[in-house]
Amino acid sequence: MIAAASANGMSKYNMAGSVTIGFRSPAVLAQQRCHRMPRWPPRHPLSQGTSERHSLSETRSRMELRAQRASSPVSTMTRSLQTFQKPALGLLMACLMAGPALAQSMGSGQTSSENSSDVSGPVRLNSTTRGTQDASTQQQQQQQAQSAMTRAPKYVPGEFEIYVNKLLGIDLTDPLTLEQLRRADTGLAEIGTVSQTQTSAAGKNATISADNIVRRLGADLMLDTRMGGDADGPRQAPSDYLIGIGDEIQVTAWGSVDADLRLTVDRAGRVTIPRVGPVLVAGVRYGDLNDVVRARIAQVFKNFQVSTSLGKLRTIRIYVTGFTAKPGAYTVSSLATIVNGLIRAGGPSAAGSFRQIELRRNGQVVANFDAYDLLLKGDKASDRALQAEDVIHIGPIGPQVAVLGSVNKQSIVELKPGETIDDVLAMAGGFSAVADRSRISIEQLSERNDRRVRELPLPAQAKAAASNGDVIRVFSSVNTALPLAKQYKRVTVEGEVSRPGEYVLPPTSTLQDAIAAAGGLTPQAYVFGTDFSRESVRQSQQENYDRALRDLETEFTKYSSTQRAANADEAAANTQRASATERLVQRLRAVRPTGRVVLQLESDARQLPSLTVEDGDRLLIPARPTTVGVFGSVFNAGSFLLQNGASVDDVMKLAGGPTRGADASGSFVIRANGTVVSARQSSNGWLGFGSSLSGLPALPGDTVFVPEEMNKTTFIQEAKDWTQILYQFGLGAAALKTIKGN
């Protein structure tokens, strides 16, 4: 038997006595025979028995005739074999004609003499289609993933889910909202960009996104179609996996046998190994596959090692029925489980249960699956492997309870009989870090027309039973402000004190208590110039400042739109004035209020008023300054040494006084305590002429500011305006005289 196989090119013993399993092409066999045959010059059969030699011209004509007939290697080889009568010469011609075929087989990746110069050595049987199969498998998986995303089930919220989100100011009946959420679930849009602003019934704007929508527990996993393409593979096959029809088995042998094979289980449940024969593997456990193959090869060969593994797995058909988003038949991997089948079908629908899922096989219920065991506990004990023609049946949804507020995950959970409020809170991830653990509120549909909402103390009522339609809210400990009389305050004291720093003071502490906690004032402290800032005041100032800035911008816009220009010069001036106004508004937007509170103190005060402090207050006691600043439209702006008894007018003289373009009537003084004294406060008459700053005493730390005149006009412009007025007046008088004369 071995000799016959060797003659056919199936196997050959090498020098070491080992056997190489495989098949050789006719081109390889012909080449091997050419190596083993003797070399002698070929002779034409017609020239046998005669001593007459052909002439040179006759030989040349015959060679040309042969060249014309050699249109293809096959026809040439056939004619040559018919022409030559001796077997040796025919074999030689076959070797010569097999050269192109042999080179083609070498170029296409077949076994050649270059790869195994020793024809008696082993030849590895690498699968020539392995790379193609791997590429096609990967392409199929990508196509399945894309098709799974394309067939993504439409997100349809249930009635209770719509009601719960409506309590949060989110309308899930809006088609645009549902479309955006569906795109977020299918990965067509990023979560952070899927947002929309809705106006609730209370008039407040609610920004919605896929993160703040309250959904059923488990819906995020089932709606994540990005898992659909590879949810059931590739992964390691378990040892109890049963080999079936369509599975691909990889067999690698070394030693006396050299083989690398990919074999597919046929419909008879067998794989066929060359030189060994068929091996029955259907129904064999994956853990026992290596022993079965080894035992079968050992019947023919000895002194070898073998390793088996699974390649491409078979697919099976299952059915998903009941309350699911897309009931029907699905093709999944043979390694798929109940969870893979649920994800492929889109999971339970709005009326489907996550906790009442049955696996039916041959008309019998073989497993009951509760998705909460996997989601909350990570328990996959009930996630059974699927077999062909299995049915996953999803039952109707059970009682539902919503958990909102300060919990780790706001959710709508499904209950089983006997579960309590404590179990519901655990399903929502428990209390958050800022939750009020002493009480909760519960809204029951059974009391909607009566009491509706009631409060439950914890942990006394933690074991109370939850009912269908309950809405549980967990309060936050930080969203509501406590009374000031109960709050300890964190106050910062800086400047001229003995121990500057942050201090925590009792609820009823005052500014004087803060100074005392810091060790008291130093001799250089300037109490009149105390800078006292408060966070609540800063927020209020910011709101008022923004409102005033919007009003100012509106006035500027109205002024620019209603102003008319008599000529090109005025139009250019108006354009420049508008651009300057825009730049001014931009600079004003960059200004941020500090939250300073002006303290009504005398210039020689030695203590602060008895004002109750708040959390976050900042108190800065400066040193007594010796200078006064003069800025604005003056000849020499800067800070000047303050002389005893000097007035504001004396300080302005040190700066050179106002310039020609200054608005002296609008000058003002900013005191060190934050108060402002303006020249217009005590002006004479309603036109505002005159000023009292000349007699105002200057204090340490004052800042005098002289503004620039904004509405400047030249003599020529004023002359033009008066000329135009007189011209119009003259025309009017002439018209009246003409009318009177008629």
Side-chain angles (χ1 to χ4, degrees):
M1 179 178 64
I2 296 177
S6 176
N8 293 328
M10 296 179 59
S11 65
K12 184 175 181 60
Y13 284 97
N14 57 17
M15 297 299 296
S18 61
V19 179
T20 300
I21 303 175
F23 296 92
R24 296 180 177 87
S25 62
V28 176
L29 295 175
Q31 185 70 15
Q32 293 176 357
R33 292 172 182 172
C34 290
H35 284 296
R36 292 194 293 267
M37 68 177 293
R39 301 293 190 267
W40 62 80
R43 299 179 61 187
H44 198 279
L46 298 178
S47 64
Q48 298 178 3
T50 178
S51 59
E52 183 180 357
R53 302 179 60 89
H54 297 288
S55 63
L56 181 61
S57 59
E58 184 179 2
T59 303
R60 186 176 301 171
S61 61
R62 288 179 179 178
M63 292 176 63
E64 293 177 354
L65 180 61
R66 292 177 182 177
Q68 294 175 0
R69 293 178 178 178
S71 59
S72 65
V74 177
S75 60
T76 304
M77 183 173 64
T78 304
R79 289 192 298 268
S80 300
L81 292 177
Q82 294 176 356
T83 305
F84 290 99
Q85 300 296 328
K86 290 186 178 182
L89 298 179
L91 182 60
L92 177 61
M93 182 56 67
C95 294
L96 296 176
M97 295 298 105
L102 180 60
Q104 182 179 2
S105 64
M106 292 169 58
S108 61
Q110 301 291 339
T111 304
S112 65
S113 59
E114 293 181 0
N115 295 333
S116 56
S117 58
D118 183 7
V119 296
S120 62
V123 178
R124 293 186 56 82
L125 297 180
N126 294 324
S127 176
T128 58
T129 60
R130 173 173 298 182
T132 305
Q133 291 177 355
D134 293 341
S136 61
T137 302
Q138 184 178 5
Q139 184 178 3
Q140 290 177 0
Q141 292 178 355
Q142 294 177 356
Q143 292 177 356
Q144 290 176 0
Q146 295 177 358
S147 62
M149 294 178 61
T150 305
R151 300 191 308 268
K154 185 179 180 181
Y155 175 70
V156 181
E159 188 175 1
F160 184 66
E161 188 174 350
I162 295 175
Y163 167 71
V164 172
N165 284 276
K166 189 175 181 180
L167 295 177
L168 300 176
I170 301 174
D171 185 12
L172 292 185
T173 59
D174 185 10
L176 180 59
T177 302
L178 294 178
E179 178 63 20
Q180 289 179 334
L181 293 177
R182 188 192 67 82
R183 291 173 61 85
D185 292 329
T186 55
L188 299 179
E190 296 295 333
I191 298 298
T193 61
V194 180
S195 62
Q196 184 182 358
T197 302
Q198 291 184 352
T199 303
S200 61
K204 297 181 179 180
N205 292 333
T207 302
I208 65 172
S209 67
D211 295 330
N212 56 22
I213 293 291
V214 179
R215 292 178 174 175
R216 296 177 58 193
L217 183 62
D220 295 335
L221 174 63
M222 297 302 171
L223 290 175
D224 192 359
T225 55
R226 289 169 288 186
M227 299 176 55
D230 56 353
D232 51 358
R235 61 178 183 269
Q236 178 67 33
S239 59
D240 58 350
Y241 175 76
L242 298 179
I243 308 299
I245 299 173
D247 285 339
E248 184 184 58
I249 299 176
Q250 300 179 9
V251 180
T252 303
W254 63 95
S256 62
V257 179
D258 190 6
D260 186 6
L261 305 172
R262 277 194 173 188
L263 308 172
T264 303
V265 182
D266 58 17
R267 294 186 179 275
R270 303 174 303 178
V271 294
T272 302
I273 301 177
R275 287 290 299 148
V276 174
V279 182
L280 182 62
V281 294
V284 176
R285 296 174 64 254
Y286 177 54
D288 301 333
L289 178 62
N290 199 73
D291 296 336
V292 172
V293 176
R294 181 194 302 275
R296 183 65 181 88
I297 298 178
Q299 296 178 3
V300 182
F301 302 105
K302 297 180 180 180
N303 301 326
F304 67 92
Q305 297 292 329
V306 66
S307 175
T308 59
S309 61
L310 288 174
K312 183 179 179 181
L313 300 179
R314 69 183 186 276
T315 58
I316 59 176
R317 183 177 61 179
I318 63 169
Y319 300 90
V320 182
T321 61
F323 294 88
T324 180
K326 296 182 64 177
Y330 292 89
T331 300
V332 296
S333 169
S334 56
L335 291 178
T337 61
I338 296 177
V339 174
N340 303 135
L342 291 175
I343 294 177
R344 186 63 61 87
S349 62
S353 173
F354 279 94
R355 312 194 68 178
Q356 300 179 16
I357 302 173
E358 297 178 348
L359 176 60
R360 300 179 180 180
R361 185 174 297 159
N362 298 326
Q364 302 293 329
V365 178
V366 296
N368 290 308
F369 178 70
D370 187 352
Y372 283 12
D373 292 339
L374 175 62
L375 294 173
L376 302 176
K377 305 175 184 177
D379 184 8
K380 290 192 63 176
S382 58
D383 188 18
R384 299 278 296 274
L386 300 177
Q387 297 183 11
E389 303 300 320
D390 278 355
V391 177
I392 301 176
H393 182 74
I394 302 175
I397 191 172
Q400 298 183 85
V401 175
V403 186
L404 307 177
S406 296
V407 290
N408 289 321
K409 182 176 178 58
Q410 299 185 121
S411 305
I412 299 175
V413 300
E414 183 181 351
L415 301 180
K416 279 188 174 181
E419 292 183 331
T420 63
I421 293 178
D422 197 9
D423 299 327
V424 172
L425 294 175
M427 294 177 189
F431 294 105
S432 64
V434 298
D436 183 2
R437 301 170 183 262
S438 63
R439 59 194 177 94
I440 60 172
S441 69
I442 181 170
E443 177 182 348
Q444 294 183 329
L445 293 180
S446 59
E447 299 180 356
R448 180 176 177 83
N449 297 328
D450 188 12
R451 186 175 180 177
R452 186 173 180 176
V453 181
R454 58 193 177 96
E455 184 177 306
L456 298 179
L458 295 180
Q461 297 291 331
K463 299 300 180 182
S467 58
N468 189 21
D470 288 352
V471 178
I472 299 175
R473 289 181 182 267
V474 180
F475 300 107
S476 174
S477 300
V478 298
N479 288 343
T480 56
L482 297 177
L484 294 178
K486 295 183 179 180
Q487 294 182 10
Y488 275 74
K489 284 84 174 181
R490 186 179 62 254
V491 180
T492 302
V493 182
E494 301 174 307
E496 294 298 322
V497 292
S498 300
R499 296 188 302 272
E502 293 187 3
Y503 297 91
V504 178
L505 303 179
T508 58
S509 299
T510 62
L511 294 179
Q512 296 179 3
D513 297 331
I515 296 296
L521 300 173
T522 63
Q524 294 79 20
Y526 187 43
V527 179
F528 179 74
T530 300
D531 185 356
F532 176 57
S533 302
R534 177 164 286 179
E535 179 62 22
S536 59
V537 175
R538 188 197 64 80
Q539 296 177 0
S540 178
Q541 288 178 351
Q542 185 66 50
E543 294 177 0
N544 296 330
Y545 182 77
D546 293 340
R547 186 183 302 110
L549 192 60
R550 288 194 299 268
D551 295 341
L552 179 63
E553 191 174 6
T554 302
E555 292 296 330
F556 282 154
T557 303
K558 291 181 179 179
Y559 177 77
S560 300
S561 60
T562 58
Q563 194 173 17
R564 297 181 180 179
N567 49 43
D569 295 338
E570 292 184 1
N574 293 338
T575 303
Q576 294 179 358
R577 190 180 299 109
S579 61
T581 302
E582 184 178 358
R583 291 193 300 269
L584 175 62
V585 171
Q586 294 298 329
R587 287 196 299 268
L588 292 176
R589 289 187 183 277
V591 177
R592 291 291 180 266
T594 60
R596 182 176 181 178
V597 178
V598 177
L599 301 178
Q600 302 296 331
L601 298 174
E602 298 295 334
S603 59
D604 56 349
R606 295 302 302 169
Q607 64 180 4
L608 296 175
S610 298
L611 178 65
T612 304
V613 297
E614 294 183 4
D615 186 61
D617 284 353
R618 178 180 173 272
L619 196 62
L620 175 61
I621 311 297
R624 185 178 183 86
T626 58
T627 59
V628 175
V630 181
F631 302 98
S633 184
V634 293
F635 287 97
N636 184 22
S639 297
F640 302 93
L641 187 64
L642 179 63
Q643 301 293 334
N644 293 330
S647 64
V648 174
D649 189 57
D650 296 334
V651 176
M652 292 181 63
K653 290 179 180 179
L654 295 178
T659 61
R660 184 177 181 181
D663 184 10
S665 62
S667 302
F668 59 91
V669 180
I670 302 177
R671 296 295 191 184
N673 66 339
T675 58
V676 177
V677 179
S678 174
R680 299 180 183 272
Q681 290 178 347
S682 58
S683 299
N684 299 323
W686 66 275
L687 292 177
F689 297 107
S691 174
S692 62
L693 291 183
S694 58
L696 183 68
L699 299 178
D702 284 352
T703 300
V704 182
F705 187 82
V706 181
E708 185 80 14
E709 179 69 34
M710 299 299 296
N711 296 324
K712 295 180 180 180
T713 56
T714 62
F715 175 77
I716 298 177
Q717 291 177 343
E718 292 181 354
K720 287 183 178 179
D721 294 339
W722 281 107
T723 303
Q724 187 70 17
I725 293 174
L726 294 176
Y727 172 73
Q728 296 293 340
F729 180 78
L731 289 179
L736 290 175
K737 184 176 181 180
T738 303
I739 294 173
K740 186 177 180 180
N742 294 333

